[in-house]
Amino acid sequence: MARARPLAALGRAGDRAAYDLVIRGGTVFDGRGGPGRVADVAIQGGKIVEVAPRVAQRGSEELDARGLAVTPGFVDIHSHAEGNVRADPRCESAIRQGITTVVVGADGSSSFSGEADQSFAAWADQLAGVRPSINFASMVGLGSVREAVVGEADRRATADELARMVAMVERALGEGACGVSTGLEYAPGAFASLEELIALSRPAAARRLPYASHLRNEDDRLLESMDEALAVGKGAGCAVQVSHLKQQGTRNWPKYEASIARLDAARAGGTEAWFDVYPYEAYSTGMSNLFPISALDGGTSAFLARLADPAQQPVLRAYAQAKIDLLGGWDQIQIASVRAPEDRAAEGKRLGAYAASLGRDPYAVTVELLQRNQGSVATLGFGMTDANIDRLLAHPWGMVCSDGGAFAVDGPSRRGSPHPRGAGTFPRVLGRYVRERKALSLEAAIPKMTAVPAQRVRLTDRGQLVPGFAADVVLFDPATVADRATFANPFQYPVGILAVVVNGQVAVRDGQRTGEGGGRVLRAG
Ligand SMILES: [Zn+2]
């Protein structure tokens, strides 16, 4: 493909223009797979109206896409962009990657629970009011539902509580939520039994929406945790989306084949099994993840009391040390963000090196950080391998997700040292894994970022460059597209993403933001 050329508006034809926007001469990958073909794309009223070798009519605006790939806007099937959207609706690090739709409410945690005063509809109204730059869809988080009904205790739900939770899930899905999610490594979602998970997933099955799960464990008990997720799908009769599939810790890297075999077996048994994956060797989670979930029984204050209890310390310390040993040492953990101003110096540092700089034992520093920050310390863990990422990305049931937050290099969302996936995921797949490592072809990669995820969550007019679909479009240069955000400096936008169109409005032009806030809240079905 040709070198990048600056995009130029070809001129404005004023009243004589037939279309709002025409994208000329790019290599179109329509999202459904197959090779790219040179074509023009015409947009009118926020919709794709024509994709043809030559669109005769002019557009009020035209974009020169010669030498560029033209694809549907990227659909990020597992995102945490809702965290900053009210503070900064620009969602810069997402839209500059070419992401036009995020699916939030991941990992069991949604901004609504399905109660009357905490409904999907109320959340959608509020979100639309801030005019985000990208589209938002959301799953309903079963951890949020459990927290609202059962609270933070490690106990079974009563029959009455279960009935209330089912009603809340029904309500959220009825209002437009696009699946149910769990985060079984997190409290209080982790306290749900298999029976509870099946009961709460049945409403999703009835609407042909998925059960998406951050598994109970992603290292030594990965395969057993996959079995649990797939048993939920079988029991409820719904599709299963294994969230950010990975094999954590060197000794678990060889479990790639067995992970795929689990999905094979589930499919053979009639359960639609899929997964998403992000292209990095580190994950991001709370520091409390170094401790057993039983330590979280009762919530944060109970957790902090256990950390401070000398009688419990030997068990807790041994558990954390085993997790550290699995990763290969304290420097495999990087501190991403803290709450307490006095701990700001820790952000962006490796835990072992930071403790050494203080002349302290890293376990003691870990406990103190958790105490001073009310249990809220975000960390990164370096535990995966590129060899498996190559295969996961290439696998036909794999989709691309960022699992990241949306932030900007300026303004209120520039805080801490977040995982670079929030700013780099999609360009990184296209640059590092498609172009450089040749893990998969460009035409194989595009559906995993567009049509396939949109179909999984029944966003029926998204993810394809086909007449009638919403006009979410990305123009990028396959020869230069690359991520620039790193673990040392995540606040860097990618290169090679030259134009992004959201609902027919040009949000990025010539690689620069236009200021348009054209995103909407999307409902499934
Ligand atoms: Zn997760």
Side-chain angles (χ1 to χ4, degrees):
M1 198 149 305
R3 303 291 308 161
R5 71 182 66 244
L7 286 170
L10 292 183
R12 290 169 185 275
D15 292 338
R16 288 166 38 242
Y19 294 129
D20 295 338
L21 176 65
V22 179
I23 299 166
R24 298 273 182 201
T27 301
V28 173
F29 296 83
D30 68 12
R32 298 179 294 186
R37 60 200 164 97
V38 174
D40 294 349
V41 177
I43 291 164
Q44 178 70 26
K47 300 274 184 203
I48 307 285
V49 289
E50 196 179 344
V51 180
R54 172 75 196 162
V55 169
Q57 291 94 331
R58 304 277 308 177
S60 296
E61 182 172 9
E62 303 212 340
L63 296 174
D64 178 2
R66 286 173 293 173
L68 304 178
V70 178
T71 76
F74 302 142
V75 177
D76 187 351
I77 187 78
H78 183 110
S79 162
H80 296 286
E82 78 269 43
N84 281 331
V85 66
R86 282 183 180 75
D88 190 349
R90 297 175 299 165
C91 303
E92 291 282 355
S93 69
I95 197 161
R96 287 170 182 265
Q97 291 184 55
I99 296 170
T100 54
T101 296
V102 288
V103 178
V104 300
D107 296 329
S109 177
S110 51
S111 304
F112 52 88
S113 63
E115 287 182 300
D117 58 347
Q118 267 215 49
S119 67
F120 175 96
W123 169 79
D125 281 352
Q126 275 187 12
L127 186 56
V130 306
R131 303 189 66 241
S133 71
I134 55 176
N135 302 310
F136 277 73
S138 184
M139 297 199 176
V140 52
L142 299 188
S144 301
V145 173
R146 188 173 230 274
E147 186 171 9
V149 173
V150 182
E152 297 186 286
D154 181 2
R155 67 167 175 84
R156 293 181 86 90
T158 65
D160 176 59
E161 287 167 340
L162 187 59
R164 279 173 58 203
M165 290 194 285
V166 168
M168 286 160 64
V169 172
E170 291 269 13
R171 180 191 178 115
L173 295 175
E175 290 177 349
C178 63
V180 297
S181 80
T182 56
L184 298 181
E185 261 190 322
Y186 302 118
F191 304 140
S193 65
L194 178 62
E195 294 69 31
E196 177 178 320
L197 296 174
I198 289 172
L200 296 182
S201 297
R202 281 204 184 99
R207 292 176 170 81
R208 293 183 290 118
L209 291 169
Y211 168 74
S213 185
H214 173 133
L215 302 174
R216 205 170 283 279
N217 179 274
E218 298 177 322
D219 50 61
D220 291 350
R221 287 176 291 115
L222 166 67
L223 300 176
E224 296 84 341
S225 301
M226 288 188 72
D227 288 342
E228 181 188 29
L230 295 164
V232 172
K234 185 161 185 71
C238 64
V240 174
Q241 177 89 12
V242 177
S243 298
H244 42 62
L245 182 57
K246 62 175 77 74
Q247 296 80 24
Q248 266 181 40
T250 316
R251 66 172 174 255
N252 294 309
W253 293 349
K255 290 180 181 171
Y256 170 82
E257 285 83 359
S259 308
I260 298 298
R262 289 298 202 279
L263 301 173
D264 276 334
R267 286 191 163 216
T271 300
E272 255 193 275
W274 299 81
F275 64 90
D276 48 59
V277 53
Y278 53 79
Y280 291 90
E281 292 180 333
Y283 57 83
S284 180
T285 192
M287 189 175 249
S288 56
N289 199 248
L290 290 170
F291 296 90
I293 195 70
S294 57
L296 279 294
D297 177 11
T300 300
S301 54
F303 171 55
L304 297 178
R306 287 186 188 99
L307 284 184
D309 178 359
Q312 305 212 33
Q313 213 207 30
V315 170
L316 295 178
R317 185 178 188 125
Y319 190 98
Q321 187 66 52
K323 186 92 180 171
I324 293 298
D325 292 345
L326 169 81
L327 296 174
W330 290 95
D331 277 340
Q332 298 299 100
I333 300 282
Q334 181 167 315
I335 300 153
S337 68
V338 296
R339 276 189 191 171
E342 62 264 42
D343 289 323
R344 281 283 131 73
E347 291 177 337
K349 304 255 171 66
R350 299 298 178 108
L351 188 46
Y354 180 64
S357 75
L358 303 174
R360 306 285 313 284
D361 164 47
Y363 180 80
V365 170
T366 297
V367 170
E368 286 175 14
L369 282 169
L370 286 165
Q371 296 286 8
R372 268 200 302 273
N373 291 275
Q374 292 83 49
S376 182
V377 179
T379 55
L380 314 182
F382 292 79
M384 289 85 84
T385 175
D386 248 352
N388 283 0
I389 295 169
D390 284 345
R391 294 189 288 177
L392 289 163
L393 284 170
H395 197 280
W397 309 328
M399 288 167 237
V400 177
C401 78
S402 79
D403 196 10
F407 48 81
V409 303
D410 61 318
S413 61
R414 182 173 181 139
R415 280 185 283 110
S417 187
H419 196 301
R421 63 196 183 186
T425 289
F426 289 81
R428 184 172 172 84
V429 169
L430 296 168
R432 178 176 173 81
Y433 291 91
V434 171
R435 185 178 62 239
E436 292 172 12
R437 294 177 66 85
K438 303 194 185 332
L440 71 170
S441 68
L442 183 56
E443 63 228 55
I446 297 305
K448 294 167 174 289
M449 303 173 160
T450 58
V452 177
Q455 286 163 353
R456 300 312 317 141
V457 292
R458 299 192 63 214
L459 300 177
T460 52
D461 67 343
R462 304 283 157 174
Q464 298 183 33
L465 283 188
V466 169
F469 276 66
D472 296 340
V473 191
V474 187
L475 281 61
F476 65 89
D477 183 352
T480 61
V481 63
D483 60 306
R484 290 171 63 233
T486 63
F487 291 103
N489 183 6
F491 295 104
Q492 302 189 82
Y493 300 133
V495 293
I497 305 283
L498 297 176
V500 184
V501 177
V502 181
N503 294 310
Q505 298 185 40
V506 181
V508 173
R509 182 191 291 116
D510 295 332
Q512 300 300 315
R513 286 277 280 123
T514 65
E516 295 287 351
R520 295 187 192 143
V521 177
L522 306 181
R523 288 167 172 82

